[in-house]
Amino acid sequence: SCKVTSPFRDQISRCYDFYSQDDADHGDYLPGWQTSSQANTTDQSGWLYSSSSSWLIWGQVGTYLGGGYIIDMDRDNKSNAIATLSQLKESRWIEHGTRAITVQFTVYNANSNLFSIVLLLVEFPATGNALPSINIHTSRLFRYVTTFQFFIAGCEVSFVIFLLYYTVRETRNIRKEKWSYVKEPWNWLELFVIVLGWTTTGVYLARFVYVLKASETFQSNPNQYIEFHHIVVLDLFYLSGWAVLVFLSFLKLLRLLQFNRRMLLLASTLRTAGKQLIAFAVVFMIVMMAFASLHMLMFGGDDVRFSSISSSLQYQTEMILGKLNAKKIRDDHPLLGPLTLSVYVITGLVLLSNLFVALINETFADVKANNDKLKNVYEVVEYLKELVGLGDGCDEEKEPLMASVDNEDTWGIDALSAKHMEVMYCALERKLDCMVEQITGLEVMPAHDVEVMPVLEATDLVVEDLEDVSDYSM
């Protein structure tokens, strides 16, 4: 599968390149890799190509298809398994063109109801050598056995119900707010959580179906090997999706920090220094890529830590965090090694890190000076009352929201969101309703029982609120 250079073509007759899915051999052979026009399956176990429904297998130097030359070992008779291995060894089943060998088996522990899917992989790169690796994935494939596991099933059903509710709610919000919906970053987070929730649910259902099929196959033929690799991949995707979903759900709790202006300092600092941070990130990545290229070209041939751009970037990040082991580099490159690393440490650790800290400190000082002049938008209790529609009383003197709006200098344009304005208008509407009720009472009560002052005071409050809202809107 590769070309031999002209000076060595007479001495080298066979050449096998690195593994490639396009160049993979799909032919049928006799023992000893002898070609034959007639396929005789009598004694050809392990010499006939077999396709597999298994998904890709990731190794250290390549990614391999699930198909190949497969041998089913006798798990009930150890002597037969040893004899099969001896026969393959005598026939040189592993030869120069072999690039990977996998050993797959699954064990089950009935005491804990756990499956362990084992994948042993040995890779033979074109450069020579053998690279072994092992992957053991333990999972509870049959989840609903004990009472507690049925409780977990109830929680999963509740999750799907809540996910459906939030999907409908966000769909209505999109129809109602239209383009203004996409301007709020928290809405993007909400949509991502919903999409990820449905994706994780779909992966779980696919995993459940594959487990049922594997169980049916085992019951029909207990001696047949059952492929579990695709179940492992789905289980990993399922667990990863749940991990990200829980992480983002906890991040949504940060939205409650809007009720305390001091807790908003971090978000305000990052928002104010956004452009400066983007510029700093561009400069930082350029410097990191420059040093990564330098380290890879200079040390990559001798040190695996700098064998590629990605590994160089990883180790450079570790050096910034203080994890520095330069003994091997100093031994291999006594002069250039310490000099190059010293320049990188001074540039990355001393200059760039301190520049980042100085940028954050300066912005934080400015944001804190402005933040001390602001008041809370509204309290948590009042927000919940307005959210569920319980704030319908006429005692407006106890309204924290309207009491906090003192003058136009207190609030900036960025201090109130559209939700806060909606709450202000709702409170103003309730004041108008209370004033109308009191004016209506003037018509039915005797003249000597009418208290005019409360009505005048309510009118003055409404006028002041109208002025505040109109000034803010302008």
Side-chain angles (χ1 to χ4, degrees), residues 261-316:
R261 55 187 173 85
R262 298 191 181 278
M263 297 299 294
L264 292 176
L265 282 176
L266 177 60
S268 300
T269 301
L270 296 178
R271 182 170 58 250
T272 304
K275 295 182 179 180
Q276 292 86 341
L277 291 178
I278 293 176
F280 174 82
V282 172
V283 174
F284 182 78
M285 288 305 303
I286 291 175
V287 174
M288 291 289 287
M289 287 296 298
F291 276 103
S293 302
L294 175 64
H295 293 155
M296 184 189 68
L297 296 175
M298 186 174 295
F299 310 130
D302 303 320
D303 197 334
V304 67
R305 295 174 298 180
F306 303 102
S307 58
S308 63
I309 290 292
S310 59
S311 60
S312 297
L313 289 173
Q314 178 181 352
Y315 189 67
Q316 287 177 180

Side-chain angles (χ1 to χ4, degrees), residues 12 21 24 30 57 75 110 121 124 223 321 412 426 439 460:
I12 301 176
Q21 298 179 7
L30 295 173
I57 298 175
R75 66 184 180 90
L121 173 65
F124 303 94
N223 294 323
L321 298 177
C426 290
I439 293 176
D460 294 337

Side-chain angles (χ1 to χ4, degrees), residues 416-435:
L416 294 177
S417 63
K419 183 64 179 178
H420 305 157
M421 286 296 300
E422 181 180 353
V423 175
M424 291 177 61
Y425 280 115
C426 290
L428 180 58
E429 183 179 0
R430 292 201 305 273
K431 284 189 175 183
L432 289 173
D433 293 339
C434 293
M435 186 183 69

Side-chain angles (χ1 to χ4, degrees), residues 340-395:
T340 304
L341 292 182
S342 299
V343 173
Y344 170 73
V345 170
I346 293 175
T347 304
L349 183 60
V350 179
L351 296 181
L352 293 180
S353 299
N354 290 337
L355 178 61
F356 176 78
V357 173
L359 177 62
I360 294 297
N361 285 339
E362 182 181 1
T363 307
F364 179 81
D366 296 338
V367 172
K368 187 176 184 302
N370 296 329
N371 187 79
D372 292 338
K373 302 177 182 179
L374 299 179
K375 295 183 179 181
N376 292 343
V377 177
Y378 45 76
E379 299 299 332
V380 179
V381 176
E382 288 300 326
Y383 174 75
L384 296 177
K385 289 172 62 178
E386 294 294 341
L387 193 63
V388 300
L390 297 178
D392 295 330
C394 294
D395 189 6

